[in-house]
Amino acid sequence: MARAFLFVLDSFGIGGAPDAADFGDNGADTLGHIAEFCAAGAGDRTGLREGPLSLPNMSALGLLHAAKLANGRVPAGMNLPERVFGVYGAASEISRGKDTPSGHWEIAGTPVTFDWGYFPAEGDAFPPELVEAIYREGDVPGILGNCHASGTDIIARHGEEHMRTGKPICYTSSDSVFQIAAHEQSFGLERLLAFCQTVRRLLDDYNIGRVIARPFVGTNPKDFVRTGNRRDYSVLPPEPTLLDRLKGAGRTVHAVGKIADIFAHQGIGRLIKANGNMELFEATLKAMDEAEDGDLVFTNFVDFDMLYGHRRDVPGYAAALEAFDQRLPDLDRQLKPGDIVILTADHGCDPTWRGTDHTRERVPILAFGPGIRTRSIGVLPGFAGIGETVAKHLGLEPGLHGRSFL
């Protein structure tokens, strides 16, 4: 029996989504624009990185070929390698959002065919009756924010008042999300998590995908910093996912990072928390070493999205990609005969794009392992083929959506 390792580089889109214009994202290209900026010297940062984007290991796995499939061009300053090892391609999302749950659920074989609820961008984001219910059920003296905002900006703006009044900072974005920031000491981490669970219940009628706890520490806007104790409270996927099917077959899903939260802890056999891409990578290597035949190790590498995409930080995103790329040989050394690794993404978050939100893009698919022969799979119509490939590799019956590319 085989093992499977599924790794999501959160927000690492490669452009070319056929419906990007419907989302206001026509021309968005996370990889392409990072490479373009780096080639022009706009991705340099003293002490961090400089020069053209360099991803030799992912390029050897077909990343640049996948980008050319997605949007018809090779990223600037990057050259196609002479040889490629493994399966490469791209995929166009069919779910009706460009958010984290939609992307991950579709990867796991369950596209989102309904419309999420969203909060308006102008004026107060949250309706008065919801705010009143939050006061009453959450036992708070009020809320701060009540708007679309960047998480770091709104903490800087309202953090001191929050610590003085005890009012949590509540905000949203273009995603179907309700985010709550609170100070770990003055408000309390456990109180924040309990408050988020209350709000999660109140939002069920609004069809909001996630409530996110955003704890922070510090004393003033100059030193406020979010901690690694983030927690996502998601609704359940609309039907059983690959994870449920694996659990039903007696297999173990090793969920590294925020995977368990994204799937509302459904189908999870083992939860492994870590903070930051390199800690996540180390935790993933350990999980790979401990995974048994038939198991899936499923990791989300969140920094690309959270620290660099949303903050429109091109040098930071480029450096994070290069650091991840340098670790891939460590991952390759962990593989045993019969294993498969799939690298992909859940959406885009082009750091050169307007605003601070996700971007609608195609995603790369790079699959490799002992016995996996090199070939192109073209552009898949949907992400579900990724999960179905894992299912077939691990000997499960086909699901309802997508086809294996094996």
Side-chain angles (χ1 to χ4, degrees), residues 110-144:
T110 304
V112 175
T113 57
F114 58 84
D115 289 319
W116 292 110
Y118 299 94
F119 294 114
E122 301 297 329
D124 287 343
F126 312 125
E129 64 274 14
L130 173 62
V131 174
E132 179 60 34
I134 289 172
Y135 293 168
R136 183 177 64 254
E137 302 293 328
D139 191 24
V140 292
I143 63 172
L144 302 171

Short mmCIF file of all heavy atoms in Angstrom, two decimals, residues 110-144:
data_model
loop_
_atom_site.label_atom_id
_atom_site.label_comp_id
_atom_site.label_asym_id
_atom_site.label_seq_id
_atom_site.Cartn_x
_atom_site.Cartn_y
_atom_site.Cartn_z
N THR A 110 -14.54 18.13 -3.14
CA THR A 110 -15.88 18.64 -2.85
C THR A 110 -15.98 20.11 -3.24
O THR A 110 -15.76 21.01 -2.42
CB THR A 110 -16.21 18.47 -1.35
OG1 THR A 110 -16.06 17.11 -0.98
CG2 THR A 110 -17.64 18.89 -1.07
N PRO A 111 -16.31 20.40 -4.50
CA PRO A 111 -16.45 21.81 -4.92
C PRO A 111 -17.60 22.50 -4.19
O PRO A 111 -18.57 21.86 -3.76
CB PRO A 111 -16.76 21.70 -6.42
CG PRO A 111 -16.32 20.33 -6.83
CD PRO A 111 -16.51 19.47 -5.62
N VAL A 112 -17.48 23.82 -4.07
CA VAL A 112 -18.52 24.63 -3.45
C VAL A 112 -19.36 25.23 -4.57
O VAL A 112 -18.91 26.13 -5.28
CB VAL A 112 -17.91 25.74 -2.57
CG1 VAL A 112 -19.00 26.65 -2.02
CG2 VAL A 112 -17.10 25.12 -1.44
N THR A 113 -20.59 24.73 -4.73
CA THR A 113 -21.44 25.18 -5.83
C THR A 113 -22.50 26.18 -5.39
O THR A 113 -23.31 26.62 -6.21
CB THR A 113 -22.13 23.97 -6.49
OG1 THR A 113 -22.88 23.26 -5.49
CG2 THR A 113 -21.10 23.02 -7.10
N PHE A 114 -22.50 26.55 -4.11
CA PHE A 114 -23.44 27.55 -3.61
C PHE A 114 -22.71 28.88 -3.41
O PHE A 114 -21.48 28.95 -3.47
CB PHE A 114 -24.07 27.09 -2.28
CG PHE A 114 -23.05 26.81 -1.20
CD1 PHE A 114 -22.55 27.84 -0.41
CD2 PHE A 114 -22.62 25.52 -0.96
CE1 PHE A 114 -21.61 27.59 0.59
CE2 PHE A 114 -21.69 25.25 0.04
CZ PHE A 114 -21.19 26.29 0.81
N ASP A 115 -23.46 29.93 -3.18
CA ASP A 115 -22.89 31.25 -2.93
C ASP A 115 -22.74 31.47 -1.43
O ASP A 115 -23.70 31.29 -0.66
CB ASP A 115 -23.78 32.35 -3.51
CG ASP A 115 -23.75 32.38 -5.03
OD1 ASP A 115 -22.66 32.21 -5.60
OD2 ASP A 115 -24.82 32.56 -5.64
N TRP A 116 -21.54 31.87 -1.00
CA TRP A 116 -21.33 32.26 0.38
C TRP A 116 -22.05 33.58 0.67
O TRP A 116 -22.34 34.36 -0.23
CB TRP A 116 -19.84 32.46 0.65
CG TRP A 116 -18.99 31.23 0.61
CD1 TRP A 116 -18.07 30.89 -0.34
CD2 TRP A 116 -18.95 30.18 1.58
NE1 TRP A 116 -17.48 29.70 -0.04
CE2 TRP A 116 -17.99 29.23 1.15
CE3 TRP A 116 -19.63 29.94 2.78
CZ2 TRP A 116 -17.69 28.08 1.87
CZ3 TRP A 116 -19.33 28.79 3.50
CH2 TRP A 116 -18.38 27.88 3.05
N GLY A 117 -22.25 33.84 1.94
CA GLY A 117 -22.70 35.16 2.35
C GLY A 117 -21.50 36.08 2.53
O GLY A 117 -20.41 35.63 2.90
N TYR A 118 -21.69 37.36 2.22
CA TYR A 118 -20.63 38.35 2.35
C TYR A 118 -21.17 39.59 3.04
O TYR A 118 -22.37 39.84 3.05
CB TYR A 118 -20.07 38.73 0.96
CG TYR A 118 -19.46 37.57 0.21
CD1 TYR A 118 -20.23 36.84 -0.71
CD2 TYR A 118 -18.14 37.20 0.40
CE1 TYR A 118 -19.68 35.77 -1.41
CE2 TYR A 118 -17.59 36.13 -0.29
CZ TYR A 118 -18.36 35.42 -1.19
OH TYR A 118 -17.81 34.36 -1.86
N PHE A 119 -20.25 40.39 3.59
CA PHE A 119 -20.64 41.63 4.24
C PHE A 119 -20.30 42.81 3.34
O PHE A 119 -19.30 42.79 2.62
CB PHE A 119 -19.92 41.77 5.58
CG PHE A 119 -20.33 40.74 6.60
CD1 PHE A 119 -19.42 39.79 7.05
CD2 PHE A 119 -21.61 40.71 7.11
CE1 PHE A 119 -19.78 38.83 7.99
CE2 PHE A 119 -21.99 39.77 8.05
CZ PHE A 119 -21.08 38.83 8.48
N PRO A 120 -21.12 43.87 3.35
CA PRO A 120 -20.91 45.01 2.44
C PRO A 120 -19.60 45.74 2.73
O PRO A 120 -19.14 45.80 3.88
CB PRO A 120 -22.12 45.90 2.71
CG PRO A 120 -22.61 45.51 4.06
CD PRO A 120 -22.31 44.05 4.20
N ALA A 121 -19.00 46.28 1.66
CA ALA A 121 -17.72 46.98 1.78
C ALA A 121 -17.88 48.41 2.24
O ALA A 121 -16.95 49.00 2.78
CB ALA A 121 -16.99 46.95 0.43
N GLU A 122 -19.06 49.01 2.05
CA GLU A 122 -19.29 50.40 2.42
C GLU A 122 -20.11 50.49 3.70
O GLU A 122 -21.01 49.69 3.94
CB GLU A 122 -20.01 51.14 1.29
CG GLU A 122 -19.27 51.13 -0.05
CD GLU A 122 -17.94 51.83 0.01
OE1 GLU A 122 -17.82 52.80 0.81
OE2 GLU A 122 -17.01 51.43 -0.72
N GLY A 123 -19.80 51.48 4.52
CA GLY A 123 -20.54 51.68 5.76
C GLY A 123 -20.23 50.58 6.76
O GLY A 123 -19.20 49.90 6.70
N ASP A 124 -21.15 50.39 7.73
CA ASP A 124 -20.98 49.32 8.71
C ASP A 124 -21.05 47.97 7.99
O ASP A 124 -21.97 47.72 7.20
CB ASP A 124 -22.06 49.38 9.78
CG ASP A 124 -21.86 50.55 10.74
OD1 ASP A 124 -20.74 51.10 10.77
OD2 ASP A 124 -22.81 50.90 11.46
N ALA A 125 -20.11 47.11 8.29
CA ALA A 125 -20.07 45.80 7.62
C ALA A 125 -21.16 44.87 8.14
O ALA A 125 -21.72 44.09 7.38
CB ALA A 125 -18.70 45.16 7.81
N PHE A 126 -21.47 44.96 9.43
CA PHE A 126 -22.35 43.98 10.06
C PHE A 126 -23.72 44.58 10.36
O PHE A 126 -23.81 45.70 10.88
CB PHE A 126 -21.71 43.45 11.35
CG PHE A 126 -20.26 43.03 11.17
CD1 PHE A 126 -19.26 43.55 11.96
CD2 PHE A 126 -19.92 42.13 10.17
CE1 PHE A 126 -17.93 43.19 11.79
CE2 PHE A 126 -18.59 41.75 9.97
CZ PHE A 126 -17.59 42.29 10.78
N PRO A 127 -24.79 43.86 10.05
CA PRO A 127 -26.13 44.40 10.28
C PRO A 127 -26.40 44.63 11.76
O PRO A 127 -25.88 43.91 12.62
CB PRO A 127 -27.04 43.31 9.71
CG PRO A 127 -26.21 42.07 9.64
CD PRO A 127 -24.81 42.51 9.45
N PRO A 128 -27.21 45.64 12.09
CA PRO A 128 -27.45 46.00 13.50
C PRO A 128 -27.98 44.84 14.33
O PRO A 128 -27.59 44.70 15.51
CB PRO A 128 -28.49 47.13 13.40
CG PRO A 128 -28.31 47.70 12.04
CD PRO A 128 -27.91 46.56 11.16
N GLU A 129 -28.85 44.00 13.76
CA GLU A 129 -29.40 42.90 14.55
C GLU A 129 -28.32 41.87 14.91
O GLU A 129 -28.37 41.26 15.98
CB GLU A 129 -30.56 42.22 13.80
CG GLU A 129 -30.20 41.54 12.49
CD GLU A 129 -30.22 42.48 11.29
OE1 GLU A 129 -30.26 43.72 11.49
OE2 GLU A 129 -30.20 41.96 10.15
N LEU A 130 -27.33 41.68 14.03
CA LEU A 130 -26.23 40.78 14.34
C LEU A 130 -25.34 41.38 15.43
O LEU A 130 -24.95 40.67 16.38
CB LEU A 130 -25.40 40.50 13.08
CG LEU A 130 -24.11 39.70 13.29
CD1 LEU A 130 -24.41 38.32 13.85
CD2 LEU A 130 -23.32 39.59 11.98
N VAL A 131 -25.05 42.66 15.31
CA VAL A 131 -24.22 43.31 16.32
C VAL A 131 -24.90 43.25 17.69
O VAL A 131 -24.25 42.96 18.70
CB VAL A 131 -23.95 44.78 15.91
CG1 VAL A 131 -23.21 45.52 17.03
CG2 VAL A 131 -23.13 44.82 14.62
N GLU A 132 -26.21 43.50 17.73
CA GLU A 132 -26.94 43.43 18.99
C GLU A 132 -26.88 42.02 19.58
O GLU A 132 -26.69 41.84 20.79
CB GLU A 132 -28.40 43.84 18.77
CG GLU A 132 -29.27 43.77 20.02
CD GLU A 132 -28.77 44.65 21.14
OE1 GLU A 132 -28.22 45.73 20.86
OE2 GLU A 132 -28.92 44.24 22.31
N ALA A 133 -27.01 41.00 18.73
CA ALA A 133 -26.93 39.61 19.20
C ALA A 133 -25.53 39.29 19.73
O ALA A 133 -25.38 38.57 20.72
CB ALA A 133 -27.31 38.65 18.08
N ILE A 134 -24.51 39.85 19.10
CA ILE A 134 -23.14 39.63 19.55
C ILE A 134 -22.93 40.26 20.93
O ILE A 134 -22.32 39.65 21.81
CB ILE A 134 -22.14 40.20 18.52
CG1 ILE A 134 -22.14 39.33 17.26
CG2 ILE A 134 -20.74 40.28 19.11
CD1 ILE A 134 -21.34 39.91 16.12
N TYR A 135 -23.45 41.47 21.13
CA TYR A 135 -23.36 42.10 22.45
C TYR A 135 -24.01 41.20 23.51
O TYR A 135 -23.44 40.95 24.58
CB TYR A 135 -24.09 43.45 22.47
CG TYR A 135 -23.50 44.54 21.63
CD1 TYR A 135 -24.24 45.70 21.39
CD2 TYR A 135 -22.22 44.45 21.08
CE1 TYR A 135 -23.73 46.74 20.62
CE2 TYR A 135 -21.71 45.48 20.31
CZ TYR A 135 -22.47 46.61 20.08
OH TYR A 135 -21.97 47.63 19.32
N ARG A 136 -25.23 40.75 23.17
CA ARG A 136 -26.04 40.00 24.14
C ARG A 136 -25.45 38.62 24.42
O ARG A 136 -25.22 38.24 25.57
CB ARG A 136 -27.47 39.89 23.61
CG ARG A 136 -28.44 39.18 24.57
CD ARG A 136 -29.85 39.16 24.01
NE ARG A 136 -29.95 38.38 22.76
CZ ARG A 136 -30.09 38.91 21.55
NH1 ARG A 136 -30.15 40.23 21.39
NH2 ARG A 136 -30.17 38.14 20.48
N GLU A 137 -25.21 37.86 23.36
CA GLU A 137 -24.76 36.48 23.52
C GLU A 137 -23.28 36.39 23.88
O GLU A 137 -22.85 35.45 24.55
CB GLU A 137 -25.03 35.68 22.25
CG GLU A 137 -26.48 35.65 21.79
CD GLU A 137 -27.34 34.87 22.76
OE1 GLU A 137 -26.84 33.91 23.38
OE2 GLU A 137 -28.54 35.22 22.89
N GLY A 138 -22.49 37.36 23.41
CA GLY A 138 -21.05 37.31 23.65
C GLY A 138 -20.62 38.00 24.92
O GLY A 138 -19.44 37.91 25.29
N ASP A 139 -21.54 38.70 25.58
CA ASP A 139 -21.25 39.37 26.83
C ASP A 139 -20.05 40.33 26.70
O ASP A 139 -19.08 40.26 27.45
CB ASP A 139 -20.99 38.35 27.95
CG ASP A 139 -20.95 39.00 29.33
OD1 ASP A 139 -21.55 40.08 29.50
OD2 ASP A 139 -20.30 38.42 30.23
N VAL A 140 -20.15 41.23 25.71
CA VAL A 140 -19.12 42.25 25.53
C VAL A 140 -19.79 43.62 25.53
O VAL A 140 -20.98 43.74 25.20
CB VAL A 140 -18.36 42.04 24.20
CG1 VAL A 140 -17.51 40.77 24.26
CG2 VAL A 140 -19.30 42.01 22.99
N PRO A 141 -19.05 44.67 25.91
CA PRO A 141 -19.65 46.00 26.00
C PRO A 141 -19.82 46.69 24.65
O PRO A 141 -20.37 47.80 24.59
CB PRO A 141 -18.64 46.77 26.87
CG PRO A 141 -17.33 46.10 26.63
CD PRO A 141 -17.66 44.64 26.44
N GLY A 142 -19.37 46.07 23.59
CA GLY A 142 -19.46 46.64 22.26
C GLY A 142 -18.39 46.02 21.39
O GLY A 142 -17.66 45.12 21.81
N ILE A 143 -18.31 46.47 20.15
CA ILE A 143 -17.25 46.01 19.26
C ILE A 143 -16.60 47.22 18.60
O ILE A 143 -17.21 48.29 18.49
CB ILE A 143 -17.76 45.03 18.18
CG1 ILE A 143 -18.77 45.70 17.24
CG2 ILE A 143 -18.33 43.77 18.81
CD1 ILE A 143 -19.16 44.84 16.05
N LEU A 144 -15.37 47.04 18.16
CA LEU A 144 -14.64 48.06 17.41
C LEU A 144 -14.45 47.57 15.98
O LEU A 144 -14.43 46.37 15.72
CB LEU A 144 -13.28 48.33 18.06
CG LEU A 144 -13.30 48.77 19.52
CD1 LEU A 144 -11.89 48.79 20.10
CD2 LEU A 144 -13.95 50.14 19.65
#
